[in-house]
């Protein structure tokens, strides 16, 4: 698709920032287990922490295509940092903009878009992954407050974020209509991080297990309407899946760039290995797959901007891009030979980072299940 001038500008701003402020430090932050908090303020300064948020709340007011393009650029520099950006932008900031009260927007949204605060999203629990309706965290009304008890897992930014968007059951007998979403600061006395995970990749952000122990949240901090929380959470799933496709595309692009550069420099049998057909053809296939993934996610993002149903296209983009990224990163390691297996070269880290894209926001198996259910609506 052809980009508008605004979309190209946002992409270019994100690319310049990523290559200047993130890429040179990503390997060191990966080894250290985190990126500096100031980085997110700097990202906010160039409009990356509230890309789709109305400027009156400190956002950039851009469309979803622009957000996805920016996500690809940040991910090309570091997957973990792009994931913190994703959580802050959508679902947290977007959910507050779309479903929050004026008080929520004043108290939370402007701080999220400025980088003063970071947001995290609490949906997944230890016993449930893609089945969001099976959550067990309970919220019981007590006067003007709700009392929350439960256990959340795989929470991006769980220990470093300042505000949490929490999905909990308020009426166990009402099924999907008994689920409510809350917003609360993470310094709430009942919010407790019980573990920070040691991960294969995305080591530049924290992924945590969090428990709520008689955590009191004012009824005024219900996001949207009571009993409508699952809808708020699921409304962002298609957006999240398109975002993951963009992340995967960025990671794959970085892996290919490293492989292409190495192939130009490394010599074997008297010439650069790029001049051997086995390598040049492999790179050609990698480039083609990356571009196909990009067009899939851009198509889905454009449909969303046009107000069209894009669940099928989002799942297709996520499925293809996430699996493509692992293949491309693996090929990049192969082109590097033994050096690709070393931590000294970027493709080792990229391979670790891209693997998770087949898992979160719905596994590849879940995407296939969803796509298969929607085949009847396709022109086959």
């Amino acid at each position: 698709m052809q980009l508008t001038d605004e979309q190209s500008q946002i992409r270019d701003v994100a690319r310049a920032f990523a290559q200047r402020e993130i890429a040179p430090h990503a390997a060191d932050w990966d080894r250290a287990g985190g990126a500096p908090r100031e980085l997110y303020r700097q990202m906010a300064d160039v409009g990356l922490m509230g890309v789709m948020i109305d400027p009156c709340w400190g956002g950039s007011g851009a469309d979803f295509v622009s957000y996805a393009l920016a996500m690809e650029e940040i991910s090309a520099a570091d997957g973990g940092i792009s994931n913190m950006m994703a959580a802050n932008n959508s679902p947290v900031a977007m959910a507050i903009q779309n479903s929050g009260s004026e008080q929520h927007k004043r108290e939370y949204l402007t701080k999220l878009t400025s980088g003063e605060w970071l947001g995290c999203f609490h949906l997944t629990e230890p016993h449930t992954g893609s089945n969001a309706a099976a959550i067990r965290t309970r919220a019981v009304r007590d006067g003007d407050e709700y009392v929350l008890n439960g256990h959340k897992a795989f929470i991006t930014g769980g220990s470093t974020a300042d505000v949490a968007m929490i999905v909990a059951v308020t009426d166990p007998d009402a099924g999907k209509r008994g689920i409510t979403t809350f917003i609360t600061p993470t310094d709430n006395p009942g919010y407790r991080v019980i573990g920070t995970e040691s991960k294969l990749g995305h080591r530049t952000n924290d992924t945590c297990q969090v428990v709520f122990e008689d955590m009191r949240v004012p009824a005024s901090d219900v996001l949207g309407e009571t009993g409508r929380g699952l809808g708020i959470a699921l409304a962002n799933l298609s957006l999240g899946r398109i975002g993951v496709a963009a992340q995967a595309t960025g990671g794959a692009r970085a892996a290919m760039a490293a492989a292409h550069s190495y192939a130009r420099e490394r010599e074997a049998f008297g010439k650069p290995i790029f001049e051997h057909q086995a390598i040049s053809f492999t790179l050609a296939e990698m480039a083609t797959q990356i571009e196909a993934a990009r067009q899939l996610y851009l198509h889905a993002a454009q449909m969303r901007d046009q107000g069209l149903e894009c669940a099928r296209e989002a799942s297709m983009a996520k499925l293809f891009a996430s699996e493509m990224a692992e293949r491309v990163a693996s090929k990049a390691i192969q082109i590097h030979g033994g050096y690709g297996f070393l931590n000294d070269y970027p493709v080792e880290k990229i391979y670790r980072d891209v693997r998770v894209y087949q898992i979160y926001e719905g596994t590849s198996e879940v995407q296939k299940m969803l796509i298969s259910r929607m085949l009847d609506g396709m022109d086959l």
Side-chain angles (χ1 to χ4, degrees):
M1 61 174 283
Q2 294 296 312
L3 304 181
T4 67
D5 289 344
E6 181 183 16
Q7 290 164 349
S8 297
Q9 183 179 18
I10 290 173
R11 178 201 61 193
D12 293 346
V13 166
R15 179 176 297 177
F17 182 90
Q19 295 307 308
R20 182 181 68 249
E21 304 293 344
I22 300 176
H25 312 291
D28 290 337
W29 292 339
D30 176 77
R31 297 183 188 106
R37 181 61 178 263
E38 180 60 26
L39 175 69
Y40 298 104
R41 287 185 180 267
Q42 295 172 333
M43 291 174 67
D45 288 342
V46 295
L48 295 175
M49 299 305 281
V51 179
M52 298 175 286
I53 302 302
D54 193 297
C56 71
W57 303 113
S60 298
D63 61 10
F64 188 64
V65 167
S66 299
Y67 169 69
L69 289 165
M71 184 61 63
E72 177 185 335
E73 297 303 329
I74 300 301
S75 182
D78 184 84
I81 292 167
S82 75
N83 217 30
M84 290 291 286
M85 172 185 165
N88 199 82
N89 272 271
S90 178
V92 182
M94 282 294 290
I96 294 173
Q97 175 170 264
N98 294 337
S99 302
S101 65
E102 291 298 305
Q103 179 183 349
H104 292 150
K105 294 171 186 177
R106 288 194 304 270
E107 292 184 2
Y108 299 124
L109 194 51
T110 54
K111 292 180 180 178
L112 291 170
T113 57
S114 70
E116 179 183 351
W117 279 8
L118 292 175
C120 59
F121 180 44
H122 292 253
L123 176 63
T124 303
E125 299 184 356
H127 65 282
T128 178
S130 298
N131 185 7
I135 62 171
R136 298 174 184 168
T137 295
R138 295 289 187 264
V140 178
R141 185 73 182 249
D142 182 20
D144 292 332
E145 297 179 316
Y146 282 87
V147 180
L148 275 67
N149 285 279
H151 184 180
K152 298 292 186 177
F154 300 110
I155 306 304
T156 298
S159 67
T160 54
D162 305 277
V163 60
M165 176 181 164
I166 302 166
V167 183
V169 176
T170 47
D171 185 352
D173 299 323
K176 294 180 179 180
R177 291 192 172 273
I179 296 174
T180 301
T181 297
F182 299 84
I183 195 85
T184 192
T186 58
D187 62 3
N188 188 315
Y191 183 103
R192 188 162 70 90
V193 177
I194 62 170
T196 301
E197 309 295 356
S198 179
K199 300 172 292 184
L200 175 69
H202 285 222
R203 296 177 181 175
T204 50
N205 69 41
D206 56 303
T207 302
C208 303
Q209 293 193 51
V210 179
V211 295
F212 312 126
E213 297 175 331
D214 293 329
M215 184 174 76
R216 290 186 171 270
V217 177
S220 60
D221 278 344
V222 168
L223 197 58
E225 298 178 26
T226 303
R228 302 289 183 175
L230 188 61
I232 294 172
L234 296 182
N236 289 285
L237 276 182
S238 289
L239 304 190
R241 286 167 181 163
I242 298 168
V244 173
Q247 286 181 299
T249 303
R253 195 186 88 205
M256 186 196 156
H260 181 247
S261 177
Y262 183 82
R264 289 288 191 185
E265 298 171 0
R266 175 80 163 107
E267 291 191 0
F269 304 103
K271 58 183 177 181
I273 62 173
F274 180 79
E275 295 182 15
H276 295 282
Q277 190 178 83
I279 301 301
S280 62
F281 276 23
T282 296
L283 287 163
E285 291 172 355
M286 292 159 69
T288 302
Q289 292 178 42
I290 291 167
E291 186 58 32
R294 180 178 294 115
Q295 294 305 318
L296 278 170
Y297 88 66
L298 286 174
H299 174 60
Q302 187 178 56
M303 289 183 67
R304 189 271 179 190
D305 280 334
Q306 294 173 346
L308 302 175
E309 175 56 48
C310 62
R312 181 180 64 204
E313 289 75 13
S315 287
M316 287 178 168
K318 201 263 186 191
L319 173 64
F320 182 84
S322 63
E323 299 203 341
M324 173 278 298
E326 184 185 11
R327 292 194 303 270
V328 166
S330 180
K331 291 293 186 182
I333 289 175
Q334 193 71 19
I335 288 170
H336 279 73
Y339 292 110
F341 200 65
L342 303 182
N343 187 250
D344 297 332
Y345 285 76
V347 289
E348 179 267 348
K349 174 185 178 298
I350 294 169
Y351 185 86
R352 289 189 286 105
D353 280 348
V354 300
R355 183 58 183 87
V356 75
Y357 299 137
Q358 296 174 58
I359 299 173
Y360 64 40
E361 296 287 355
T363 63
S364 289
E365 291 74 20
V366 166
Q367 305 312 318
K368 292 174 185 177
M369 177 183 71
L370 294 172
I371 294 165
S372 68
R373 290 174 177 174
M374 293 182 277
L375 290 178
D376 289 343
M378 294 183 66
D379 292 328
L380 300 176

